[in-house]
């Protein structure tokens, strides 16, 4: 982790803030090349697109796989405001991204959302999903960014502690 990683992670959180402002769940992601240049960004669109697969990371991987080869993506990093769920981890894996950096952990998100029906999350860390694959995905996170927790405040039916 370096200063550029933190900067890009903060940008992913800002994308999550935009998703919330647009009426969606507060999740955001971006893809950067090996030099740290932002290539693509994506918000969560579950509500506005009426698409249960409209998670930020899955939306990003849909875009990325149309534009870049798996070989190129293996040198890229996906930055996300919150740890990828099992579905998003699968999309990241199948797309061939080589590195994932996230702020808020899935466990911490669950503490905030509780039993909110809008987030029936798995208790399955992305590291476990990636570990079952045939190619490595480097995972860094959680990264302590207060803004990654703040973007969720008041959104879910259970107020954060």
């Amino acid at each position: 982790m370096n200063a550029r990683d933190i900067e890009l992670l903060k940008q992913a959180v800002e994308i999550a803030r935009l998703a919330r402002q647009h009426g969606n769940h507060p999740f955001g992601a971006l893809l950067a090349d090996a030099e740290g240049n932002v290539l693509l960004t994506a918000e969560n669109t579950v509500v506005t697109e009426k698409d249960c697969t409209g998670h930020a990371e899955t939306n990003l991987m849909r875009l990325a796989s149309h534009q870049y080869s798996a070989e190129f993506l293996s040198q890229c990093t996906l930055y996300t405001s919150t740890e990828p769920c099992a579905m998003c981890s699968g999309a990241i894996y199948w797309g061939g991204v080589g590195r994932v950096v996230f702020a808020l952990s899935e466990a911490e998100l669950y503490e905030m959302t509780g039993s909110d029906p809008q987030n029936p999350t798995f208790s399955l860390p992305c590291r476990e999903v990636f570990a079952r694959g045939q190619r490595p995905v480097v995972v860094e996170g959680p990264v302590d960014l207060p803004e990654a927790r703040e973007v969720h405040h008041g959104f879910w039916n259970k107020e954060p502690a």
Side-chain angles (χ1 to χ4, degrees), residues 9-63:
L9 203 48
K10 287 180 178 182
Q11 285 182 34
V13 172
E14 284 308 307
I15 297 165
R17 190 174 316 285
L18 289 173
R20 182 174 178 170
Q21 289 172 3
H22 295 144
N24 289 293
H25 302 158
F27 301 101
L30 65 84
L31 183 71
D33 66 15
E35 289 76 42
N37 301 304
V38 176
L39 303 172
L40 298 167
T41 66
E43 302 176 8
N44 177 290
T45 57
V46 167
V47 176
T48 57
E49 296 292 324
K50 296 181 171 103
D51 178 1
C52 64
T53 67
H55 293 194
E57 300 91 340
T58 299
N59 288 339
L60 185 68
M61 290 312 303
R62 241 181 246 117
L63 294 169

Side-chain angles (χ1 to χ4, degrees), residues 77-159:
T77 300
L78 187 147
Y79 295 87
T80 182
S81 60
T82 304
E83 183 174 2
C85 72
M87 175 183 70
C88 293
S89 296
I92 293 164
Y93 175 81
W94 286 112
V97 170
R99 181 172 175 245
V100 173
V101 178
F102 67 88
L104 191 69
S105 72
E106 186 74 17
E108 192 171 2
L109 176 65
Y110 179 74
E111 289 175 18
M112 291 186 214
T113 64
S115 62
D116 192 307
Q118 292 188 70
N119 191 48
T121 189
F122 288 93
S123 179
L124 181 59
C126 68
R127 281 180 175 87
E128 290 184 34
V129 175
F130 296 136
R132 306 292 178 151
Q134 296 181 31
R135 64 178 166 271
V137 178
V138 175
V139 179
E140 298 193 46
V143 176
D144 186 20
L145 291 179
E147 53 266 60
R149 288 185 295 280
E150 189 277 328
V151 73
H152 292 276
H153 282 244
F155 185 85
W156 307 100
N157 70 6
K158 179 181 176 185
E159 189 63 30

